[in-house]
Short mmCIF file of all heavy atoms in Angstrom, two decimals:
data_model
loop_
_atom_site.label_atom_id
_atom_site.label_comp_id
_atom_site.label_asym_id
_atom_site.label_seq_id
_atom_site.Cartn_x
_atom_site.Cartn_y
_atom_site.Cartn_z
N MET A 851 204.23 177.99 376.19
CA MET A 851 205.04 178.57 377.26
C MET A 851 205.52 179.94 376.82
O MET A 851 205.87 180.14 375.66
CB MET A 851 206.27 177.70 377.56
CG MET A 851 206.00 176.45 378.35
SD MET A 851 205.48 176.78 380.05
CE MET A 851 206.89 177.64 380.74
N PRO A 857 206.60 180.98 385.88
CA PRO A 857 206.14 180.14 384.77
C PRO A 857 204.88 180.73 384.15
O PRO A 857 203.82 180.74 384.77
CB PRO A 857 205.88 178.78 385.42
CG PRO A 857 205.67 179.08 386.87
CD PRO A 857 206.46 180.31 387.17
N LEU A 859 202.23 180.93 380.74
CA LEU A 859 201.71 180.28 379.54
C LEU A 859 200.73 181.25 378.89
O LEU A 859 200.21 182.14 379.55
CB LEU A 859 200.94 179.00 379.90
CG LEU A 859 201.72 177.89 380.58
CD1 LEU A 859 201.57 177.98 382.07
CD2 LEU A 859 201.21 176.57 380.09
N CYS A 879 192.08 178.89 385.85
CA CYS A 879 191.69 177.71 385.09
C CYS A 879 192.70 176.60 385.39
O CYS A 879 193.69 176.80 386.08
CB CYS A 879 191.66 177.99 383.60
SG CYS A 879 193.27 178.35 382.86
N VAL A 880 192.42 175.43 384.84
CA VAL A 880 193.36 174.32 384.87
C VAL A 880 193.53 173.85 383.43
O VAL A 880 192.56 173.60 382.73
CB VAL A 880 192.87 173.15 385.76
CG1 VAL A 880 193.83 171.97 385.67
CG2 VAL A 880 192.71 173.61 387.20
N ILE A 881 194.78 173.76 383.00
CA ILE A 881 195.07 173.17 381.70
C ILE A 881 195.33 171.69 381.95
O ILE A 881 196.31 171.33 382.63
CB ILE A 881 196.29 173.84 381.03
CG1 ILE A 881 195.97 175.31 380.74
CG2 ILE A 881 196.67 173.10 379.75
CD1 ILE A 881 197.15 176.11 380.23
N ASN A 882 194.42 170.84 381.48
CA ASN A 882 194.54 169.39 381.65
C ASN A 882 195.07 168.80 380.35
O ASN A 882 194.58 169.13 379.28
CB ASN A 882 193.17 168.79 381.98
CG ASN A 882 192.68 169.23 383.36
OD1 ASN A 882 193.17 168.75 384.37
ND2 ASN A 882 191.74 170.14 383.38
N ILE A 883 196.05 167.94 380.44
CA ILE A 883 196.69 167.37 379.25
C ILE A 883 196.31 165.90 379.14
O ILE A 883 196.72 165.08 379.95
CB ILE A 883 198.22 167.57 379.32
CG1 ILE A 883 198.50 169.08 379.42
CG2 ILE A 883 198.89 166.93 378.10
CD1 ILE A 883 199.92 169.44 379.71
N ALA A 916 191.45 171.03 392.77
CA ALA A 916 192.79 171.58 392.60
C ALA A 916 193.29 172.10 393.95
O ALA A 916 192.50 172.27 394.88
CB ALA A 916 192.76 172.72 391.58
N ALA A 917 194.58 172.34 394.05
CA ALA A 917 195.15 172.82 395.31
C ALA A 917 195.09 174.34 395.43
O ALA A 917 194.95 174.86 396.54
CB ALA A 917 196.60 172.35 395.43
N CYS A 918 195.19 175.06 394.31
CA CYS A 918 195.34 176.52 394.37
C CYS A 918 194.26 177.31 393.65
O CYS A 918 194.17 178.52 393.83
CB CYS A 918 196.70 176.91 393.78
SG CYS A 918 198.11 176.17 394.62
N VAL A 919 193.46 176.66 392.81
CA VAL A 919 192.41 177.36 392.08
C VAL A 919 191.09 176.63 392.25
O VAL A 919 191.07 175.47 392.66
CB VAL A 919 192.76 177.50 390.57
CG1 VAL A 919 194.07 178.27 390.38
CG2 VAL A 919 192.83 176.15 389.88
N LEU A 923 190.74 169.72 388.37
CA LEU A 923 191.59 168.88 387.54
C LEU A 923 190.70 167.79 386.95
O LEU A 923 189.61 167.54 387.47
CB LEU A 923 192.69 168.21 388.37
CG LEU A 923 193.89 169.05 388.82
CD1 LEU A 923 193.51 170.18 389.74
CD2 LEU A 923 194.91 168.15 389.50
N TYR A 928 196.70 162.93 381.99
CA TYR A 928 198.07 162.65 382.42
C TYR A 928 198.64 163.78 383.28
O TYR A 928 199.31 163.54 384.27
CB TYR A 928 198.98 162.43 381.21
CG TYR A 928 200.44 162.52 381.57
CD1 TYR A 928 201.03 161.52 382.35
CD2 TYR A 928 201.21 163.60 381.20
CE1 TYR A 928 202.36 161.61 382.73
CE2 TYR A 928 202.54 163.69 381.56
CZ TYR A 928 203.11 162.69 382.33
OH TYR A 928 204.42 162.80 382.71
N ALA A 929 198.40 165.01 382.87
CA ALA A 929 198.98 166.16 383.59
C ALA A 929 197.93 167.26 383.71
O ALA A 929 196.99 167.34 382.93
CB ALA A 929 200.19 166.67 382.83
N SER A 930 198.13 168.11 384.72
CA SER A 930 197.26 169.26 384.94
C SER A 930 198.12 170.41 385.42
O SER A 930 199.03 170.22 386.23
CB SER A 930 196.19 168.95 385.99
OG SER A 930 195.37 167.88 385.57
N ILE A 931 197.81 171.61 384.92
CA ILE A 931 198.53 172.81 385.32
C ILE A 931 197.51 173.81 385.84
O ILE A 931 196.66 174.30 385.08
CB ILE A 931 199.31 173.42 384.13
CG1 ILE A 931 200.23 172.38 383.49
CG2 ILE A 931 200.12 174.64 384.59
CD1 ILE A 931 200.79 172.79 382.15
N GLU A 932 197.57 174.10 387.12
CA GLU A 932 196.68 175.09 387.72
C GLU A 932 197.22 176.48 387.37
O GLU A 932 198.40 176.75 387.52
CB GLU A 932 196.63 174.93 389.23
CG GLU A 932 196.07 173.60 389.69
CD GLU A 932 195.97 173.50 391.20
OE1 GLU A 932 195.65 174.52 391.86
OE2 GLU A 932 196.22 172.40 391.72
N CYS A 933 196.32 177.34 386.88
CA CYS A 933 196.74 178.66 386.38
C CYS A 933 195.86 179.78 386.91
O CYS A 933 194.67 179.59 387.13
CB CYS A 933 196.66 178.69 384.86
SG CYS A 933 197.68 177.48 384.01
N GLU A 950 199.73 182.49 384.78
CA GLU A 950 200.85 182.04 385.59
C GLU A 950 200.50 180.65 386.13
O GLU A 950 199.42 180.47 386.71
CB GLU A 950 201.14 182.98 386.76
CG GLU A 950 202.31 182.50 387.59
CD GLU A 950 202.74 183.46 388.68
OE1 GLU A 950 202.18 184.56 388.77
OE2 GLU A 950 203.63 183.08 389.46
N ALA A 951 201.38 179.70 385.90
CA ALA A 951 201.18 178.36 386.45
C ALA A 951 201.52 178.41 387.93
O ALA A 951 202.62 178.82 388.31
CB ALA A 951 202.07 177.36 385.73
N VAL A 952 200.56 178.00 388.77
CA VAL A 952 200.78 178.06 390.21
C VAL A 952 200.97 176.67 390.84
O VAL A 952 201.44 176.56 391.97
CB VAL A 952 199.64 178.83 390.93
CG1 VAL A 952 199.64 180.29 390.50
CG2 VAL A 952 198.28 178.19 390.67
N LYS A 953 200.64 175.62 390.09
CA LYS A 953 200.82 174.25 390.57
C LYS A 953 200.70 173.32 389.37
O LYS A 953 199.89 173.57 388.48
CB LYS A 953 199.74 173.90 391.60
CG LYS A 953 199.80 172.51 392.17
CD LYS A 953 200.60 172.46 393.44
CE LYS A 953 200.50 171.07 394.05
NZ LYS A 953 201.61 170.78 394.92
N ALA A 954 201.53 172.29 389.34
CA ALA A 954 201.47 171.32 388.23
C ALA A 954 201.42 169.91 388.79
O ALA A 954 202.00 169.63 389.85
CB ALA A 954 202.69 171.49 387.32
N TRP A 955 200.72 169.05 388.07
CA TRP A 955 200.52 167.66 388.48
C TRP A 955 200.82 166.74 387.30
O TRP A 955 200.54 167.09 386.16
CB TRP A 955 199.06 167.42 388.87
CG TRP A 955 198.51 168.34 389.90
CD1 TRP A 955 198.00 169.60 389.71
CD2 TRP A 955 198.40 168.10 391.29
NE1 TRP A 955 197.57 170.14 390.89
CE2 TRP A 955 197.81 169.24 391.89
CE3 TRP A 955 198.73 167.02 392.10
CZ2 TRP A 955 197.55 169.33 393.25
CZ3 TRP A 955 198.47 167.12 393.45
CH2 TRP A 955 197.89 168.25 394.01
N ILE A 956 201.36 165.57 387.58
CA ILE A 956 201.46 164.51 386.57
C ILE A 956 201.04 163.20 387.21
O ILE A 956 201.02 163.08 388.43
CB ILE A 956 202.90 164.36 385.99
CG1 ILE A 956 203.88 163.94 387.09
CG2 ILE A 956 203.34 165.60 385.27
CD1 ILE A 956 205.18 163.38 386.55
N ASP A 957 200.73 162.22 386.38
CA ASP A 957 200.41 160.88 386.85
C ASP A 957 201.68 160.05 386.77
O ASP A 957 202.08 159.63 385.68
CB ASP A 957 199.31 160.27 385.99
CG ASP A 957 198.93 158.87 386.44
OD1 ASP A 957 199.58 158.31 387.35
OD2 ASP A 957 197.98 158.32 385.86
N PRO A 958 202.35 159.80 387.90
CA PRO A 958 203.61 159.06 387.87
C PRO A 958 203.45 157.61 387.43
O PRO A 958 204.42 156.95 387.07
CB PRO A 958 204.12 159.14 389.31
CG PRO A 958 202.91 159.43 390.14
CD PRO A 958 201.97 160.19 389.25
#
Side-chain angles (χ1 to χ4, degrees):
M851 283 293 299
L859 298 95
C879 66
V880 175
I881 296 174
N882 292 285
I883 301 170
C918 301
V919 301
L923 284 63
Y928 164 70
S930 299
I931 306 167
E932 297 183 36
C933 300
E950 180 174 356
V952 295
K953 180 93 174 157
W955 306 83
I956 63 163
D957 180 355

